[in-house]
Amino acid sequence: MVPPTPDGLPRCHEAGKPILPPDMEHLASGPMLPLQHCIQYQESVLLKEKDPNYPVFSVKVPSDQHFVNEDPADIFFIAFEDVFNLFHSKRLDYNLVRLYAINLQMKINRERPPHIAVADPYYMRDSQLQDGSSTRTKAVRYLESFMLMNKEKNTILLPVFPEDKYCTLIILCPKWSLAQYFDSSNTTTKKDYRRIRGVLDEAILGYSKNGGTFDKKGEFVRPDTKKLGFKHVIDFPCIKQPAGSIKEAFYVLHHLKGFVEDAEMMSLPPSKRDPIKMSGEINDDDLREDFHRLQMTYYVVFEGRVPGVYEEWEECKKQVHKFSGNCYKGYPTRHEAVAKWRAHQAKKSKMKTFLVLSLLLTIVAAVLYFILV
């Protein structure tokens, strides 16, 4: 038996309904609940209109913070459906990643932690970086100028979108001509970074020609072009997703936040660093387990209060928490979860049949023994 989807846990957003169901609201933190209430109110107003508009938040890019703010990049939109996907750990829209990157850079501009900056990822999609396109030229110029504006910084964080469907964080260190790719995917198919690599190499060449500084022996001449370029470390080790997951953007947001928080901590006096460091210390295995749990959309409870397939962790947890001998596992797709559950049921059925037959044979043997004796 496969239990039905728990009430109040929709798989897509329904206008006018809460993004978070009532039994999960206690898990919300910070501005999550106010945001949900704001969306619910605006949708209720729109639903009363005869010709309602599509509900979105509009974002105006600041014009004095060195972001990409020329038309049409100066305004972008966050659909309410995108917020729903964020709350429910679904695949994130590109604009949400851009919004987060811009927000972090504005925070850096206010608090001024040294050695770090976050670039606007507006152009960092393969569709924008085609050879000969005007957007590719603009991308090179933007990255070149951003590196020059931050040439005293050791680290520049750049979210990119290879093939327009993946999300990777690139850590740029222009002083050392180093580009490290934090690729969380765990797939066997390699991503195509050729366009992004080409843009970065052109940008650092312009950076060098226009006054960019390098550390001693930091300049790198690419053997294929005999020109300055980045040393691209594609397989840089980082936390990996479960196979088949499509939620790389969450990992990018996590890494962005971590890098900026570390930079902020290092800007504090030594006497104030230890408590913050202690509060931020998390075991790698625990962190990896938390990330994997977020990616597991479906759970199979093999041994618990009510065995079956569940679509939410909280429902699964109710069946296994403090249940002696519990056994459960998460799977990224419903098809895989149901298949594992049915295989488990079939195995148990065979085991029961075997035990019944064994018992019958034992009884028959005992009866024959007493008859013959």
PDB file of all heavy atoms in Angstrom, residues 222-257:
ATOM      1  N   ARG A 222      48.338  30.231 -21.097  1.00  0.00           N
ATOM      2  CA  ARG A 222      47.708  28.986 -21.521  1.00  0.00           C
ATOM      3  C   ARG A 222      48.537  28.334 -22.628  1.00  0.00           C
ATOM      4  O   ARG A 222      48.905  28.992 -23.615  1.00  0.00           O
ATOM      5  CB  ARG A 222      46.286  29.245 -22.021  1.00  0.00           C
ATOM      6  CG  ARG A 222      45.356  29.768 -20.926  1.00  0.00           C
ATOM      7  CD  ARG A 222      43.904  29.687 -21.359  1.00  0.00           C
ATOM      8  NE  ARG A 222      43.543  28.332 -21.725  1.00  0.00           N
ATOM      9  CZ  ARG A 222      43.262  27.367 -20.846  1.00  0.00           C
ATOM     10  NH1 ARG A 222      43.307  27.619 -19.552  1.00  0.00           N
ATOM     11  NH2 ARG A 222      42.931  26.162 -21.261  1.00  0.00           N
ATOM     12  N   PRO A 223      48.833  27.043 -22.499  1.00  0.00           N
ATOM     13  CA  PRO A 223      49.681  26.382 -23.502  1.00  0.00           C
ATOM     14  C   PRO A 223      49.024  26.283 -24.875  1.00  0.00           C
ATOM     15  O   PRO A 223      49.720  26.228 -25.890  1.00  0.00           O
ATOM     16  CB  PRO A 223      49.913  24.990 -22.895  1.00  0.00           C
ATOM     17  CG  PRO A 223      48.809  24.789 -21.911  1.00  0.00           C
ATOM     18  CD  PRO A 223      48.476  26.142 -21.395  1.00  0.00           C
ATOM     19  N   ASP A 224      47.669  26.292 -24.920  1.00  0.00           N
ATOM     20  CA  ASP A 224      46.992  26.131 -26.214  1.00  0.00           C
ATOM     21  C   ASP A 224      46.933  27.433 -27.005  1.00  0.00           C
ATOM     22  O   ASP A 224      47.011  27.434 -28.234  1.00  0.00           O
ATOM     23  CB  ASP A 224      45.581  25.571 -26.011  1.00  0.00           C
ATOM     24  CG  ASP A 224      44.783  26.369 -24.997  1.00  0.00           C
ATOM     25  OD1 ASP A 224      45.390  27.166 -24.260  1.00  0.00           O
ATOM     26  OD2 ASP A 224      43.551  26.189 -24.937  1.00  0.00           O
ATOM     27  N   THR A 225      46.809  28.580 -26.302  1.00  0.00           N
ATOM     28  CA  THR A 225      46.672  29.863 -27.000  1.00  0.00           C
ATOM     29  C   THR A 225      47.915  30.745 -26.884  1.00  0.00           C
ATOM     30  O   THR A 225      48.027  31.738 -27.605  1.00  0.00           O
ATOM     31  CB  THR A 225      45.479  30.647 -26.426  1.00  0.00           C
ATOM     32  OG1 THR A 225      45.726  30.923 -25.031  1.00  0.00           O
ATOM     33  CG2 THR A 225      44.185  29.853 -26.564  1.00  0.00           C
ATOM     34  N   LYS A 226      48.825  30.382 -25.984  1.00  0.00           N
ATOM     35  CA  LYS A 226      50.027  31.188 -25.717  1.00  0.00           C
ATOM     36  C   LYS A 226      49.667  32.586 -25.219  1.00  0.00           C
ATOM     37  O   LYS A 226      50.443  33.531 -25.362  1.00  0.00           O
ATOM     38  CB  LYS A 226      50.911  31.299 -26.972  1.00  0.00           C
ATOM     39  CG  LYS A 226      51.271  29.965 -27.609  1.00  0.00           C
ATOM     40  CD  LYS A 226      51.994  29.037 -26.641  1.00  0.00           C
ATOM     41  CE  LYS A 226      52.339  27.708 -27.313  1.00  0.00           C
ATOM     42  NZ  LYS A 226      52.966  26.755 -26.360  1.00  0.00           N
ATOM     43  N   LYS A 227      48.476  32.722 -24.638  1.00  0.00           N
ATOM     44  CA  LYS A 227      48.031  33.992 -24.075  1.00  0.00           C
ATOM     45  C   LYS A 227      47.711  33.807 -22.595  1.00  0.00           C
ATOM     46  O   LYS A 227      47.526  32.689 -22.125  1.00  0.00           O
ATOM     47  CB  LYS A 227      46.783  34.501 -24.812  1.00  0.00           C
ATOM     48  CG  LYS A 227      46.994  34.825 -26.275  1.00  0.00           C
ATOM     49  CD  LYS A 227      45.695  35.317 -26.900  1.00  0.00           C
ATOM     50  CE  LYS A 227      45.873  35.645 -28.380  1.00  0.00           C
ATOM     51  NZ  LYS A 227      44.589  36.103 -28.992  1.00  0.00           N
ATOM     52  N   LEU A 228      47.625  34.949 -21.902  1.00  0.00           N
ATOM     53  CA  LEU A 228      47.237  34.876 -20.497  1.00  0.00           C
ATOM     54  C   LEU A 228      45.832  34.298 -20.372  1.00  0.00           C
ATOM     55  O   LEU A 228      44.955  34.556 -21.210  1.00  0.00           O
ATOM     56  CB  LEU A 228      47.273  36.270 -19.865  1.00  0.00           C
ATOM     57  CG  LEU A 228      48.644  36.887 -19.593  1.00  0.00           C
ATOM     58  CD1 LEU A 228      48.476  38.273 -18.988  1.00  0.00           C
ATOM     59  CD2 LEU A 228      49.456  36.008 -18.651  1.00  0.00           C
ATOM     60  N   GLY A 229      45.615  33.542 -19.335  1.00  0.00           N
ATOM     61  CA  GLY A 229      44.298  32.966 -19.089  1.00  0.00           C
ATOM     62  C   GLY A 229      44.217  32.451 -17.667  1.00  0.00           C
ATOM     63  O   GLY A 229      45.156  32.596 -16.873  1.00  0.00           O
ATOM     64  N   PHE A 230      43.089  31.866 -17.336  1.00  0.00           N
ATOM     65  CA  PHE A 230      42.904  31.263 -16.020  1.00  0.00           C
ATOM     66  C   PHE A 230      43.364  29.805 -16.042  1.00  0.00           C
ATOM     67  O   PHE A 230      43.268  29.121 -17.069  1.00  0.00           O
ATOM     68  CB  PHE A 230      41.427  31.296 -15.614  1.00  0.00           C
ATOM     69  CG  PHE A 230      40.982  32.589 -14.988  1.00  0.00           C
ATOM     70  CD1 PHE A 230      40.239  33.506 -15.714  1.00  0.00           C
ATOM     71  CD2 PHE A 230      41.295  32.880 -13.669  1.00  0.00           C
ATOM     72  CE1 PHE A 230      39.809  34.691 -15.139  1.00  0.00           C
ATOM     73  CE2 PHE A 230      40.877  34.062 -13.079  1.00  0.00           C
ATOM     74  CZ  PHE A 230      40.131  34.973 -13.814  1.00  0.00           C
ATOM     75  N   LYS A 231      43.825  29.342 -14.899  1.00  0.00           N
ATOM     76  CA  LYS A 231      44.001  27.906 -14.681  1.00  0.00           C
ATOM     77  C   LYS A 231      42.652  27.388 -14.178  1.00  0.00           C
ATOM     78  O   LYS A 231      42.253  27.680 -13.049  1.00  0.00           O
ATOM     79  CB  LYS A 231      45.105  27.650 -13.654  1.00  0.00           C
ATOM     80  CG  LYS A 231      46.504  27.966 -14.149  1.00  0.00           C
ATOM     81  CD  LYS A 231      47.548  27.769 -13.066  1.00  0.00           C
ATOM     82  CE  LYS A 231      47.514  28.937 -12.089  1.00  0.00           C
ATOM     83  NZ  LYS A 231      48.641  28.907 -11.125  1.00  0.00           N
ATOM     84  N   HIS A 232      41.963  26.645 -15.008  1.00  0.00           N
ATOM     85  CA  HIS A 232      40.609  26.191 -14.686  1.00  0.00           C
ATOM     86  C   HIS A 232      40.662  24.843 -13.967  1.00  0.00           C
ATOM     87  O   HIS A 232      41.049  23.832 -14.559  1.00  0.00           O
ATOM     88  CB  HIS A 232      39.769  26.076 -15.958  1.00  0.00           C
ATOM     89  CG  HIS A 232      39.604  27.374 -16.686  1.00  0.00           C
ATOM     90  ND1 HIS A 232      38.610  28.275 -16.384  1.00  0.00           N
ATOM     91  CD2 HIS A 232      40.329  27.933 -17.705  1.00  0.00           C
ATOM     92  CE1 HIS A 232      38.706  29.327 -17.184  1.00  0.00           C
ATOM     93  NE2 HIS A 232      39.743  29.146 -17.988  1.00  0.00           N
ATOM     94  N   VAL A 233      40.273  24.842 -12.699  1.00  0.00           N
ATOM     95  CA  VAL A 233      40.224  23.605 -11.916  1.00  0.00           C
ATOM     96  C   VAL A 233      38.767  23.144 -11.899  1.00  0.00           C
ATOM     97  O   VAL A 233      37.963  23.570 -11.060  1.00  0.00           O
ATOM     98  CB  VAL A 233      40.747  23.822 -10.485  1.00  0.00           C
ATOM     99  CG1 VAL A 233      40.768  22.499  -9.722  1.00  0.00           C
ATOM    100  CG2 VAL A 233      42.138  24.451 -10.517  1.00  0.00           C
ATOM    101  N   ILE A 234      38.423  22.295 -12.854  1.00  0.00           N
ATOM    102  CA  ILE A 234      37.026  21.894 -13.040  1.00  0.00           C
ATOM    103  C   ILE A 234      36.563  20.924 -11.957  1.00  0.00           C
ATOM    104  O   ILE A 234      35.427  20.987 -11.491  1.00  0.00           O
ATOM    105  CB  ILE A 234      36.832  21.252 -14.431  1.00  0.00           C
ATOM    106  CG1 ILE A 234      37.303  22.212 -15.531  1.00  0.00           C
ATOM    107  CG2 ILE A 234      35.377  20.862 -14.647  1.00  0.00           C
ATOM    108  CD1 ILE A 234      36.506  23.475 -15.626  1.00  0.00           C
ATOM    109  N   ASP A 235      37.436  20.016 -11.558  1.00  0.00           N
ATOM    110  CA  ASP A 235      37.047  18.956 -10.618  1.00  0.00           C
ATOM    111  C   ASP A 235      37.445  19.301  -9.185  1.00  0.00           C
ATOM    112  O   ASP A 235      37.956  18.453  -8.453  1.00  0.00           O
ATOM    113  CB  ASP A 235      37.688  17.627 -11.032  1.00  0.00           C
ATOM    114  CG  ASP A 235      37.211  17.174 -12.399  1.00  0.00           C
ATOM    115  OD1 ASP A 235      36.021  17.375 -12.685  1.00  0.00           O
ATOM    116  OD2 ASP A 235      38.023  16.631 -13.169  1.00  0.00           O
ATOM    117  N   PHE A 236      37.204  20.535  -8.789  1.00  0.00           N
ATOM    118  CA  PHE A 236      37.550  20.924  -7.419  1.00  0.00           C
ATOM    119  C   PHE A 236      36.633  20.182  -6.443  1.00  0.00           C
ATOM    120  O   PHE A 236      35.414  20.144  -6.625  1.00  0.00           O
ATOM    121  CB  PHE A 236      37.385  22.430  -7.238  1.00  0.00           C
ATOM    122  CG  PHE A 236      38.013  22.957  -5.978  1.00  0.00           C
ATOM    123  CD1 PHE A 236      39.356  23.282  -5.943  1.00  0.00           C
ATOM    124  CD2 PHE A 236      37.260  23.106  -4.826  1.00  0.00           C
ATOM    125  CE1 PHE A 236      39.945  23.759  -4.788  1.00  0.00           C
ATOM    126  CE2 PHE A 236      37.835  23.578  -3.662  1.00  0.00           C
ATOM    127  CZ  PHE A 236      39.189  23.907  -3.643  1.00  0.00           C
ATOM    128  N   PRO A 237      37.193  19.551  -5.401  1.00  0.00           N
ATOM    129  CA  PRO A 237      36.353  18.755  -4.486  1.00  0.00           C
ATOM    130  C   PRO A 237      35.414  19.628  -3.659  1.00  0.00           C
ATOM    131  O   PRO A 237      35.813  20.645  -3.103  1.00  0.00           O
ATOM    132  CB  PRO A 237      37.388  18.057  -3.586  1.00  0.00           C
ATOM    133  CG  PRO A 237      38.613  18.910  -3.673  1.00  0.00           C
ATOM    134  CD  PRO A 237      38.617  19.495  -5.047  1.00  0.00           C
ATOM    135  N   CYS A 238      34.149  19.229  -3.616  1.00  0.00           N
ATOM    136  CA  CYS A 238      33.158  19.922  -2.794  1.00  0.00           C
ATOM    137  C   CYS A 238      32.022  18.944  -2.510  1.00  0.00           C
ATOM    138  O   CYS A 238      32.009  17.826  -3.026  1.00  0.00           O
ATOM    139  CB  CYS A 238      32.631  21.177  -3.495  1.00  0.00           C
ATOM    140  SG  CYS A 238      31.745  20.863  -5.034  1.00  0.00           S
ATOM    141  N   ILE A 239      31.071  19.356  -1.687  1.00  0.00           N
ATOM    142  CA  ILE A 239      29.941  18.497  -1.345  1.00  0.00           C
ATOM    143  C   ILE A 239      29.162  18.151  -2.610  1.00  0.00           C
ATOM    144  O   ILE A 239      28.845  19.022  -3.417  1.00  0.00           O
ATOM    145  CB  ILE A 239      29.016  19.190  -0.333  1.00  0.00           C
ATOM    146  CG1 ILE A 239      29.770  19.441   0.975  1.00  0.00           C
ATOM    147  CG2 ILE A 239      27.781  18.349  -0.059  1.00  0.00           C
ATOM    148  CD1 ILE A 239      28.998  20.251   1.975  1.00  0.00           C
ATOM    149  N   LYS A 240      28.841  16.876  -2.776  1.00  0.00           N
ATOM    150  CA  LYS A 240      28.145  16.416  -3.971  1.00  0.00           C
ATOM    151  C   LYS A 240      26.686  16.091  -3.674  1.00  0.00           C
ATOM    152  O   LYS A 240      26.330  15.682  -2.573  1.00  0.00           O
ATOM    153  CB  LYS A 240      28.835  15.168  -4.538  1.00  0.00           C
ATOM    154  CG  LYS A 240      30.274  15.403  -4.986  1.00  0.00           C
ATOM    155  CD  LYS A 240      30.345  16.352  -6.170  1.00  0.00           C
ATOM    156  CE  LYS A 240      31.774  16.510  -6.671  1.00  0.00           C
ATOM    157  NZ  LYS A 240      31.859  17.444  -7.817  1.00  0.00           N
ATOM    158  N   GLN A 241      25.862  16.254  -4.697  1.00  0.00           N
ATOM    159  CA  GLN A 241      24.452  15.894  -4.596  1.00  0.00           C
ATOM    160  C   GLN A 241      24.274  14.396  -4.799  1.00  0.00           C
ATOM    161  O   GLN A 241      25.142  13.730  -5.356  1.00  0.00           O
ATOM    162  CB  GLN A 241      23.650  16.600  -5.693  1.00  0.00           C
ATOM    163  CG  GLN A 241      23.748  18.098  -5.692  1.00  0.00           C
ATOM    164  CD  GLN A 241      22.942  18.673  -6.819  1.00  0.00           C
ATOM    165  OE1 GLN A 241      21.734  18.790  -6.742  1.00  0.00           O
ATOM    166  NE2 GLN A 241      23.610  19.026  -7.899  1.00  0.00           N
ATOM    167  N   PRO A 242      23.120  13.877  -4.396  1.00  0.00           N
ATOM    168  CA  PRO A 242      22.794  12.496  -4.772  1.00  0.00           C
ATOM    169  C   PRO A 242      22.639  12.396  -6.290  1.00  0.00           C
ATOM    170  O   PRO A 242      22.309  13.373  -6.960  1.00  0.00           O
ATOM    171  CB  PRO A 242      21.454  12.244  -4.067  1.00  0.00           C
ATOM    172  CG  PRO A 242      21.354  13.299  -3.023  1.00  0.00           C
ATOM    173  CD  PRO A 242      22.093  14.487  -3.548  1.00  0.00           C
ATOM    174  N   ALA A 243      22.880  11.230  -6.820  1.00  0.00           N
ATOM    175  CA  ALA A 243      22.738  11.022  -8.260  1.00  0.00           C
ATOM    176  C   ALA A 243      21.310  11.326  -8.694  1.00  0.00           C
ATOM    177  O   ALA A 243      20.347  10.951  -8.033  1.00  0.00           O
ATOM    178  CB  ALA A 243      23.108   9.585  -8.622  1.00  0.00           C
ATOM    179  N   GLY A 244      21.181  12.037  -9.799  1.00  0.00           N
ATOM    180  CA  GLY A 244      19.862  12.347 -10.339  1.00  0.00           C
ATOM    181  C   GLY A 244      19.239  13.616  -9.797  1.00  0.00           C
ATOM    182  O   GLY A 244      18.173  14.025 -10.243  1.00  0.00           O
ATOM    183  N   SER A 245      19.880  14.273  -8.844  1.00  0.00           N
ATOM    184  CA  SER A 245      19.317  15.493  -8.279  1.00  0.00           C
ATOM    185  C   SER A 245      19.470  16.651  -9.258  1.00  0.00           C
ATOM    186  O   SER A 245      20.402  16.694 -10.056  1.00  0.00           O
ATOM    187  CB  SER A 245      20.017  15.831  -6.962  1.00  0.00           C
ATOM    188  OG  SER A 245      19.537  17.054  -6.450  1.00  0.00           O
ATOM    189  N   ILE A 246      18.540  17.599  -9.194  1.00  0.00           N
ATOM    190  CA  ILE A 246      18.578  18.759 -10.088  1.00  0.00           C
ATOM    191  C   ILE A 246      18.529  20.049  -9.268  1.00  0.00           C
ATOM    192  O   ILE A 246      17.995  21.052  -9.717  1.00  0.00           O
ATOM    193  CB  ILE A 246      17.414  18.725 -11.094  1.00  0.00           C
ATOM    194  CG1 ILE A 246      16.069  18.627 -10.364  1.00  0.00           C
ATOM    195  CG2 ILE A 246      17.579  17.586 -12.080  1.00  0.00           C
ATOM    196  CD1 ILE A 246      14.861  18.773 -11.279  1.00  0.00           C
ATOM    197  N   LYS A 247      19.086  20.009  -8.073  1.00  0.00           N
ATOM    198  CA  LYS A 247      18.963  21.148  -7.165  1.00  0.00           C
ATOM    199  C   LYS A 247      20.313  21.783  -6.876  1.00  0.00           C
ATOM    200  O   LYS A 247      20.626  22.165  -5.755  1.00  0.00           O
ATOM    201  CB  LYS A 247      18.279  20.698  -5.876  1.00  0.00           C
ATOM    202  CG  LYS A 247      16.894  20.112  -6.137  1.00  0.00           C
ATOM    203  CD  LYS A 247      16.302  19.489  -4.907  1.00  0.00           C
ATOM    204  CE  LYS A 247      14.962  18.829  -5.237  1.00  0.00           C
ATOM    205  NZ  LYS A 247      14.388  18.122  -4.091  1.00  0.00           N
ATOM    206  N   GLU A 248      21.141  21.910  -7.908  1.00  0.00           N
ATOM    207  CA  GLU A 248      22.486  22.427  -7.726  1.00  0.00           C
ATOM    208  C   GLU A 248      22.499  23.852  -7.196  1.00  0.00           C
ATOM    209  O   GLU A 248      23.424  24.252  -6.493  1.00  0.00           O
ATOM    210  CB  GLU A 248      23.237  22.379  -9.058  1.00  0.00           C
ATOM    211  CG  GLU A 248      23.408  20.978  -9.602  1.00  0.00           C
ATOM    212  CD  GLU A 248      23.754  20.990 -11.076  1.00  0.00           C
ATOM    213  OE1 GLU A 248      23.318  21.915 -11.773  1.00  0.00           O
ATOM    214  OE2 GLU A 248      24.459  20.081 -11.515  1.00  0.00           O
ATOM    215  N   ALA A 249      21.469  24.627  -7.531  1.00  0.00           N
ATOM    216  CA  ALA A 249      21.454  26.032  -7.125  1.00  0.00           C
ATOM    217  C   ALA A 249      21.456  26.180  -5.608  1.00  0.00           C
ATOM    218  O   ALA A 249      22.020  27.142  -5.075  1.00  0.00           O
ATOM    219  CB  ALA A 249      20.240  26.742  -7.723  1.00  0.00           C
ATOM    220  N   PHE A 250      20.836  25.238  -4.881  1.00  0.00           N
ATOM    221  CA  PHE A 250      20.856  25.304  -3.422  1.00  0.00           C
ATOM    222  C   PHE A 250      22.290  25.192  -2.903  1.00  0.00           C
ATOM    223  O   PHE A 250      22.669  25.853  -1.936  1.00  0.00           O
ATOM    224  CB  PHE A 250      20.003  24.184  -2.823  1.00  0.00           C
ATOM    225  CG  PHE A 250      18.530  24.451  -2.882  1.00  0.00           C
ATOM    226  CD1 PHE A 250      17.752  23.923  -3.893  1.00  0.00           C
ATOM    227  CD2 PHE A 250      17.919  25.250  -1.926  1.00  0.00           C
ATOM    228  CE1 PHE A 250      16.394  24.164  -3.955  1.00  0.00           C
ATOM    229  CE2 PHE A 250      16.556  25.502  -1.974  1.00  0.00           C
ATOM    230  CZ  PHE A 250      15.791  24.962  -2.993  1.00  0.00           C
ATOM    231  N   TYR A 251      23.084  24.353  -3.539  1.00  0.00           N
ATOM    232  CA  TYR A 251      24.475  24.195  -3.132  1.00  0.00           C
ATOM    233  C   TYR A 251      25.262  25.476  -3.426  1.00  0.00           C
ATOM    234  O   TYR A 251      26.133  25.872  -2.654  1.00  0.00           O
ATOM    235  CB  TYR A 251      25.098  23.007  -3.862  1.00  0.00           C
ATOM    236  CG  TYR A 251      24.576  21.674  -3.393  1.00  0.00           C
ATOM    237  CD1 TYR A 251      23.309  21.226  -3.762  1.00  0.00           C
ATOM    238  CD2 TYR A 251      25.338  20.855  -2.569  1.00  0.00           C
ATOM    239  CE1 TYR A 251      22.821  20.008  -3.329  1.00  0.00           C
ATOM    240  CE2 TYR A 251      24.859  19.625  -2.132  1.00  0.00           C
ATOM    241  CZ  TYR A 251      23.599  19.210  -2.517  1.00  0.00           C
ATOM    242  OH  TYR A 251      23.115  18.005  -2.083  1.00  0.00           O
ATOM    243  N   VAL A 252      24.955  26.104  -4.552  1.00  0.00           N
ATOM    244  CA  VAL A 252      25.622  27.362  -4.897  1.00  0.00           C
ATOM    245  C   VAL A 252      25.293  28.433  -3.855  1.00  0.00           C
ATOM    246  O   VAL A 252      26.181  29.157  -3.384  1.00  0.00           O
ATOM    247  CB  VAL A 252      25.209  27.824  -6.306  1.00  0.00           C
ATOM    248  CG1 VAL A 252      25.680  29.256  -6.566  1.00  0.00           C
ATOM    249  CG2 VAL A 252      25.790  26.887  -7.360  1.00  0.00           C
ATOM    250  N   LEU A 253      24.021  28.530  -3.463  1.00  0.00           N
ATOM    251  CA  LEU A 253      23.638  29.505  -2.440  1.00  0.00           C
ATOM    252  C   LEU A 253      24.345  29.207  -1.121  1.00  0.00           C
ATOM    253  O   LEU A 253      24.787  30.120  -0.420  1.00  0.00           O
ATOM    254  CB  LEU A 253      22.121  29.493  -2.232  1.00  0.00           C
ATOM    255  CG  LEU A 253      21.245  29.832  -3.438  1.00  0.00           C
ATOM    256  CD1 LEU A 253      19.787  29.955  -3.013  1.00  0.00           C
ATOM    257  CD2 LEU A 253      21.698  31.103  -4.127  1.00  0.00           C
ATOM    258  N   HIS A 254      24.438  27.932  -0.797  1.00  0.00           N
ATOM    259  CA  HIS A 254      25.122  27.537   0.443  1.00  0.00           C
ATOM    260  C   HIS A 254      26.587  27.964   0.421  1.00  0.00           C
ATOM    261  O   HIS A 254      27.100  28.537   1.396  1.00  0.00           O
ATOM    262  CB  HIS A 254      25.016  26.027   0.624  1.00  0.00           C
ATOM    263  CG  HIS A 254      25.946  25.474   1.659  1.00  0.00           C
ATOM    264  ND1 HIS A 254      25.728  25.625   3.015  1.00  0.00           N
ATOM    265  CD2 HIS A 254      27.116  24.789   1.540  1.00  0.00           C
ATOM    266  CE1 HIS A 254      26.720  25.053   3.679  1.00  0.00           C
ATOM    267  NE2 HIS A 254      27.565  24.537   2.816  1.00  0.00           N
ATOM    268  N   HIS A 255      27.270  27.700  -0.685  1.00  0.00           N
ATOM    269  CA  HIS A 255      28.683  28.068  -0.778  1.00  0.00           C
ATOM    270  C   HIS A 255      28.859  29.592  -0.784  1.00  0.00           C
ATOM    271  O   HIS A 255      29.798  30.116  -0.161  1.00  0.00           O
ATOM    272  CB  HIS A 255      29.303  27.467  -2.037  1.00  0.00           C
ATOM    273  CG  HIS A 255      29.474  25.974  -1.972  1.00  0.00           C
ATOM    274  ND1 HIS A 255      30.071  25.334  -0.910  1.00  0.00           N
ATOM    275  CD2 HIS A 255      29.125  24.994  -2.848  1.00  0.00           C
ATOM    276  CE1 HIS A 255      30.091  24.033  -1.121  1.00  0.00           C
ATOM    277  NE2 HIS A 255      29.524  23.802  -2.289  1.00  0.00           N
ATOM    278  N   LEU A 256      27.988  30.296  -1.490  1.00  0.00           N
ATOM    279  CA  LEU A 256      28.059  31.761  -1.495  1.00  0.00           C
ATOM    280  C   LEU A 256      27.979  32.307  -0.068  1.00  0.00           C
ATOM    281  O   LEU A 256      28.803  33.132   0.353  1.00  0.00           O
ATOM    282  CB  LEU A 256      26.920  32.340  -2.337  1.00  0.00           C
ATOM    283  CG  LEU A 256      27.079  32.350  -3.854  1.00  0.00           C
ATOM    284  CD1 LEU A 256      25.760  32.723  -4.517  1.00  0.00           C
ATOM    285  CD2 LEU A 256      28.167  33.328  -4.284  1.00  0.00           C
ATOM    286  N   LYS A 257      26.985  31.842   0.648  1.00  0.00           N
ATOM    287  CA  LYS A 257      26.794  32.311   2.021  1.00  0.00           C
ATOM    288  C   LYS A 257      28.001  31.969   2.889  1.00  0.00           C
ATOM    289  O   LYS A 257      28.474  32.799   3.678  1.00  0.00           O
ATOM    290  CB  LYS A 257      25.530  31.682   2.606  1.00  0.00           C
ATOM    291  CG  LYS A 257      25.229  32.116   4.033  1.00  0.00           C
ATOM    292  CD  LYS A 257      23.983  31.419   4.564  1.00  0.00           C
ATOM    293  CE  LYS A 257      23.715  31.829   6.012  1.00  0.00           C
ATOM    294  NZ  LYS A 257      22.542  31.107   6.572  1.00  0.00           N
TER     295      LYS A 257
END
